Amino acid sequence: MLPEIGYLALLASLLTALLLLALPFLAKRYPVLPLLKLLSALLFLFALSAISMLAYSFVQDDFSVLYVAAHSNSELPLLFKVAATWGGHEGSMLFWLVTLSLWTFLFACCGQKTEVRFKATVIAVLALIYSALCLYTLMLSDPFERFFPAPFQGRDLNPMLQDIALVFHPPLLYLGYVGFALNFALSLATLLLQTEAQVFARHSRTWALLSWGWLTCGIVLGAWWAYYELGWGGWWFWDPVENASLIPWLLGLGLIHSLIATQRQGLYPYWSLLLSLLAFSASLLGTFIVRSGVITSVHAFSIDPSRGYALLAMFFVFSGFGLAIFAFKAKPAHSPRRWRLWSQATGLLLLNILTAIAAFSVLLGTFYPLLFSTFGFGSISVGAPYFNTIFTPLVILCLAVMLLWLNGGLQTAWRRYLSGFTLALASTLATIFYNLQQDPHNSWQLLPTVFVLLAFWLLFSLFLYAIRAYQQRRLHTALAMLLGHGGLVLVVIAAMMSGYYSSDLGVKLALDESAELHRYQFDFQGIEYRLAANYTTETALLAVTHHAERFMLQPEKRFYDIRNSMMSEVAIKAGLLGDLYIVMGDKSGDRYAFGLHYKPLIQWLWLGGIFMALAAFFSIGLRRFAQRSATEAATEQGTRLC
């Protein structure tokens, strides 16, 4: 009975969304704000009730529900039963709807100073998106579908998804993906009602920061999950599903910086509106990539491609509609301030261009093999060499633009804007020349040298900028700048160091044999067999000695008998300066294969990602605190004058 209640709740949410579509037309004559909040709350409650019924079906092992039988098992731990709710295609689409209804409800309750008709139009656009996706879920991806007779046991959750990261990784990604729908709706409402660009930027900036911050958290968690779960020793593989999250992340990054210029100076309104449209369009495209089955990925849902084509049609409809409105309704912008070549506004423009190029490059590399085969040209593979070749100069240019921007904010005369940038560039060129003179045949080492040198110089400039901002009593600006851009610097340093200076060794060890890597000695002490809830493990015992330190690492091979699949679980000794990373391979005779890896500074990668996400969240709270403090100071000063 509970699955039927969930289906009815989902149907009720669709009817509520259709009612929300009428509110912009009533806002001209009637006070619709209370009704707007009530319907938005009902939309969220109905969607939440639907997914709660599905989650309860998982907990109760109701295998008469087709989706539960395909993704769960009675022996699955309770936490993973709950996480399996969004572990497949149908459940993830339902979670998409819940997240969209949450953003709609939050926008309806926040922004008390927002004009009612504008708010109603924004929510109507969100309701239109919700209605389309809800119809898709009800008609093509029903998570409550039953079948009889019910099997005695379920098929179990994909072993690769039976990890604590699954509980958090997809919800964080959905919060980011779906959050850009709000920026999409804000841009359409701005164009349809001809609202001022600075008003749009003021409304949109907070939501863009929230969406981008959650998406950053999801991407970082996903990279960490791939690092320790897949056993490849890397953290980013340019997989199509990984690229699906990177494209809106890049566009969202450009959007945030463009909104800063639009809100403060009225600059780049076209960029802000267009990036708002494209960021959500990229999120819809990512939904298609993950769920279509037309692109092979270790992360993708394997489903009937016909359902993916419906998502592709939705992508074209909403993207085409948004771009058409932009083409016909966007009016020429008149900048209230004089545009200067050497200024921080120029740096923001260059950053927009670089992020747009990067996003398009990822999109091209992801879909080019599919288009190549579709048109009958054969098969082609686009992998890491293409993306690394494209992103290397883009990241260097991005770091250089950041240096220019920061030094522009530090100095007052335009002749001194380039001082720090010129010094960094001269130091980089000098280092390149020196390395070429020392060893012309080993020029590959120049790349990490350039990156790390620029990154450390940028980190130094960030501290100078933060000190200057603190002296000017702009603590919120100093903290957000230091966390956000400093986090990017840490990511760049970690990517370069772990990519170019990792140590790897493949060995086969028998009992009591040893191997050595990066001044660590590994002694193989035996094998233990263990029984878990729904799998058995074969665990290797490796004693590791480093100087006077001695500790144990235990890589595993897990066998899931229900799925008849084997998974490797790596053993990691994490450290601030580097990680020991051990993968257990197959047995050959009396010897076991092991992959031994040392990853320098890899922890800086996760730390930098966390810093970037915190910068997005802190900038919202600190900016509001600064505005409140300024208002209180102005009020106090007015009281004294009176």
Side-chain angles (χ1 to χ4, degrees):
M1 185 64 183
L2 290 179
E4 285 72 26
I5 295 176
Y7 187 89
L8 290 175
L10 192 58
L11 190 60
S13 72
L14 174 61
L15 297 175
T16 306
L18 294 175
L19 289 175
L20 283 169
L21 291 175
L23 292 186
F25 304 100
L26 301 176
K28 296 180 180 180
R29 297 184 179 181
Y30 305 102
V32 298
L33 186 58
L35 185 59
L36 195 68
K37 293 181 179 180
L38 175 61
L39 290 177
S40 298
L42 287 175
L43 182 71
F44 175 60
L45 288 176
F46 285 139
L48 186 62
S49 299
I51 201 169
S52 298
M53 295 301 101
L54 183 62
Y56 192 74
S57 299
F58 271 96
V59 173
Q60 293 297 311
D61 296 324
D62 187 356
F63 298 126
S64 67
V65 179
L66 180 61
Y67 180 69
V68 176
H71 296 88
S72 186
N73 186 274
S74 59
E75 297 180 359
L76 192 67
L78 178 61
L79 182 64
F80 295 146
K81 286 182 180 180
V82 175
T85 306
W86 50 81
H89 169 73
E90 292 85 354
S92 67
M93 290 306 303
L94 182 57
F95 195 89
W96 228 94
L97 292 172
V98 174
T99 310
L100 182 57
S101 66
L102 174 62
W103 282 110
T104 304
F105 173 64
L106 290 176
F107 182 77
C109 294
C110 298
Q112 302 301 324
K113 297 180 180 180
T114 307
E115 198 265 325
V116 176
R117 189 184 174 200
F118 182 82
K119 177 175 285 191
T121 305
V122 172
I123 291 180
V125 175
L126 293 174
L128 181 63
I129 298 171
Y130 185 95
S131 301
L133 289 169
C134 190
L135 279 172
Y136 169 84
T137 303
L138 289 169
M139 297 176 65
L140 297 176
S141 303
D142 181 12
F144 301 105
E145 180 182 354
R146 287 188 183 270
F147 77 114
F148 297 98
F152 175 74
Q153 192 60 273
R155 187 167 177 259
D156 202 6
L157 184 65
N158 187 337
M160 196 160 47
L161 304 180
Q162 295 184 32
D163 188 272
I164 188 64
L166 175 67
V167 181
F168 304 104
H169 171 57
L172 291 174
L173 281 181
Y174 294 145
L175 281 171
Y177 275 149
V178 184
F180 285 123
L182 187 48
N183 294 102
F184 178 86
L186 282 164
S187 61
L188 283 186
T190 299
L191 292 167
L192 291 171
L193 301 178
Q194 293 295 292
T195 307
E196 290 294 328
Q198 287 180 287
V199 176
F200 156 73
R202 186 176 69 249
H203 289 309
S204 188
R205 186 177 169 190
T206 298
W207 302 108
L209 284 167
L210 278 174
S211 303
W212 187 83
W214 289 122
L215 184 57
T216 303
C217 291
I219 290 175
V220 171
L221 184 58
W224 177 63
W225 180 25
Y227 170 67
Y228 77 82
E229 179 66 24
L230 298 182
W232 298 343
W235 53 275
W236 195 268
F237 309 102
W238 297 110
D239 182 272
V241 174
E242 291 177 332
N243 296 344
S245 62
L246 182 61
I247 296 171
W249 187 87
L250 289 167
L251 294 172
L253 179 64
L255 172 62
I256 290 170
H257 289 83
S258 182
L259 288 171
I260 293 173
T262 304
Q263 182 181 354
R264 292 179 180 176
Q265 304 173 11
L267 296 174
Y268 316 137
Y270 283 158
W271 273 104
S272 298
L273 290 167
L274 185 60
L275 288 172
S276 295
L277 298 173
L278 293 179
F280 178 64
S281 297
S283 298
L284 284 177
L285 186 62
T287 305
F288 162 75
I289 292 174
V290 176
R291 294 162 178 83
S292 65
V294 299
I295 296 181
T296 304
S297 168
V298 69
H299 306 282
F301 297 110
S302 298
I303 67 166
D304 183 0
S306 61
R307 290 193 284 182
Y309 296 145
L311 290 172
L312 185 62
M314 251 186 287
F315 160 74
F316 281 119
V317 168
F318 283 111
S319 301
F321 176 71
L323 293 175
I325 295 295
F326 176 80
F328 288 105
K329 289 287 188 178
K331 56 184 179 180
H334 299 284
S335 176
R337 297 185 60 180
R338 183 182 176 186
W339 190 84
R340 296 176 300 169
L341 179 61
W342 301 114
S343 65
Q344 293 184 343
T346 306
L348 293 176
L349 177 61
L350 291 174
L351 182 62
N352 282 348
I353 295 172
L354 290 174
T355 53
I357 293 173
F360 177 76
S361 301
V362 176
L363 179 65
L364 180 64
T366 303
F367 279 94
Y368 186 75
L370 175 63
L371 296 175
F372 197 81
S373 60
T374 301
F375 288 106
F377 297 124
S379 61
I380 190 173
S381 176
V382 176
Y386 162 80
F387 293 105
N388 292 336
T389 302
I390 294 294
F391 267 76
T392 296
L394 288 177
V395 174
I396 290 179
L397 285 173
C398 183
L399 294 176
V401 169
M402 289 168 61
L403 272 171
L404 174 62
W405 193 91
L406 286 170
N407 284 279
L410 284 171
Q411 308 297 339
T412 56
W414 76 269
R415 292 181 182 274
R416 300 174 64 189
Y417 283 169
L418 298 177
S419 58
F421 173 71
T422 304
L423 181 58
L425 183 60
S427 302
T428 303
L429 293 176
T431 305
I432 292 174
F433 180 76
Y434 175 78
N435 279 281
L436 284 174
Q437 291 293 324
Q438 294 294 317
D439 189 357
H441 303 291
N442 203 14
S443 59
W444 62 271
Q445 293 184 355
L446 300 178
L447 186 60
T449 302
V450 171
F451 271 103
V452 173
L453 182 62
L454 279 174
F456 274 111
W457 189 261
L458 180 57
L459 197 61
F460 176 71
S461 298
L462 279 169
F463 278 111
L464 291 180
Y465 187 91
I467 292 172
R468 176 71 176 242
Y470 177 77
Q471 291 173 345
Q472 296 175 347
R473 298 186 177 180
R474 294 185 293 123
L475 181 60
H476 61 289
T477 302
L479 185 58
M481 283 286 299
L482 196 57
L483 282 175
H485 298 85
L488 178 62
V489 169
L490 292 181
V491 169
V492 169
I493 293 174
M496 287 297 105
M497 295 300 292
S498 63
Y500 282 89
Y501 296 106
S502 295
S503 301
D504 306 288
L505 179 65
V507 295
K508 290 186 177 181
L509 300 177
L511 185 63
D512 295 328
E513 289 188 342
S514 63
E516 189 171 333
L517 174 73
H518 201 75
R519 297 185 296 277
Y520 287 87
Q521 181 175 321
F522 302 85
D523 299 308
F524 181 35
Q525 296 186 343
I527 294 290
E528 286 187 358
Y529 297 93
R530 301 167 183 172
L531 179 64
N534 61 333
Y535 60 86
T536 57
T537 72
E538 187 179 19
T539 305
L541 305 178
L542 288 168
V544 185
T545 305
H546 180 65
H547 300 306
E549 183 184 13
R550 187 175 176 85
F551 52 89
M552 295 293 297
L553 287 178
Q554 301 180 10
E556 298 178 354
K557 291 183 74 67
R558 295 180 178 178
F559 179 71
Y560 295 81
D561 55 343
I562 298 174
R563 284 253 180 176
N564 193 28
S565 61
M566 183 78 72
M567 290 287 296
S568 293
E569 293 292 320
V570 303
I572 300 175
K573 171 68 172 178
L576 188 61
L577 298 181
D579 283 8
L580 280 181
Y581 184 101
I582 303 178
V583 186
M584 182 180 178
D586 296 328
K587 182 179 180 182
S588 177
D590 61 343
R591 294 176 178 271
Y592 286 84
F594 294 98
L596 311 178
H597 308 269
Y598 179 77
K599 303 290 183 181
L601 303 184
I602 191 68
Q603 294 296 321
W604 290 28
L605 193 75
W606 329 126
L607 188 63
I610 293 171
F611 281 172
M612 285 192 287
L614 288 177
F617 300 138
F618 281 177
S619 62
I620 298 171
L622 292 172
R623 188 158 50 90
R624 293 185 178 275
F625 175 77
Q627 291 172 352
R628 190 181 302 114
S629 300
T631 303
E632 292 175 356
T635 304
E636 183 180 353
Q637 184 178 3
T639 304
R640 290 178 180 177
L641 290 175
C642 293

